[in-house]
Amino acid sequence: MSIDRKAAIAAYKERKTIAGIYAVRCAASGQAWVGQASNLETIQNRIWFSLRQGSHICRNLQAAWNAHGEAGLTFGECERLDDEETAYVRNALLKERLLHWRAELKAEAI
């Protein structure tokens, strides 16, 4: 293994992830779904991948994808959380903010 590769792996492991709340919306139906993520930068790829495979666990979101396609859905960040020292505090805050955004957007949880 080269030194460059080891450095790249080490940098990847040490990178800061940004936790927060996100929303997926369907313009055609007016539906919205809200979720929490420990890494906002990667969550859209995960969701879109499972939707393309037809295997997303949220049946209503999958149905909207099937009916309107990728172009019919939009992904957006609702809120980024400040970096928390402990996972416990971060997870508690994520749950609290998820409930807030679900109520605010009248959205279903993902």
Side-chain angles (χ1 to χ4, degrees), residues 58 75 78 82:
C58 180
F75 177 90
C78 296
D82 293 331

PDB file of all heavy atoms in Angstrom, residues 58 75 78 82:
ATOM      1  N   CYS A  58     -39.644   3.247   3.154  1.00  0.00           N
ATOM      2  CA  CYS A  58     -40.825   4.111   3.248  1.00  0.00           C
ATOM      3  C   CYS A  58     -41.673   3.882   1.991  1.00  0.00           C
ATOM      4  O   CYS A  58     -41.343   4.350   0.902  1.00  0.00           O
ATOM      5  CB  CYS A  58     -40.420   5.573   3.375  1.00  0.00           C
ATOM      6  SG  CYS A  58     -41.829   6.680   3.485  1.00  0.00           S
ATOM      7  N   PHE A  75     -34.555  17.025  -2.987  1.00  0.00           N
ATOM      8  CA  PHE A  75     -33.902  16.781  -1.708  1.00  0.00           C
ATOM      9  C   PHE A  75     -33.380  18.108  -1.192  1.00  0.00           C
ATOM     10  O   PHE A  75     -32.809  18.889  -1.951  1.00  0.00           O
ATOM     11  CB  PHE A  75     -32.729  15.804  -1.886  1.00  0.00           C
ATOM     12  CG  PHE A  75     -31.968  15.553  -0.619  1.00  0.00           C
ATOM     13  CD1 PHE A  75     -32.336  14.526   0.228  1.00  0.00           C
ATOM     14  CD2 PHE A  75     -30.899  16.354  -0.261  1.00  0.00           C
ATOM     15  CE1 PHE A  75     -31.642  14.300   1.411  1.00  0.00           C
ATOM     16  CE2 PHE A  75     -30.203  16.141   0.910  1.00  0.00           C
ATOM     17  CZ  PHE A  75     -30.575  15.103   1.750  1.00  0.00           C
ATOM     18  N   CYS A  78     -32.818  20.729   5.864  1.00  0.00           N
ATOM     19  CA  CYS A  78     -33.645  21.601   6.704  1.00  0.00           C
ATOM     20  C   CYS A  78     -32.778  22.295   7.743  1.00  0.00           C
ATOM     21  O   CYS A  78     -32.971  23.471   8.025  1.00  0.00           O
ATOM     22  CB  CYS A  78     -34.718  20.794   7.425  1.00  0.00           C
ATOM     23  SG  CYS A  78     -35.918  20.026   6.338  1.00  0.00           S
ATOM     24  N   ASP A  82     -24.852  21.671  15.081  1.00  0.00           N
ATOM     25  CA  ASP A  82     -23.488  21.976  15.507  1.00  0.00           C
ATOM     26  C   ASP A  82     -22.804  20.686  15.909  1.00  0.00           C
ATOM     27  O   ASP A  82     -23.450  19.727  16.337  1.00  0.00           O
ATOM     28  CB  ASP A  82     -23.494  22.944  16.697  1.00  0.00           C
ATOM     29  CG  ASP A  82     -24.005  24.319  16.318  1.00  0.00           C
ATOM     30  OD1 ASP A  82     -23.831  24.717  15.145  1.00  0.00           O
ATOM     31  OD2 ASP A  82     -24.576  24.987  17.188  1.00  0.00           O
TER      32      ASP A  82
END
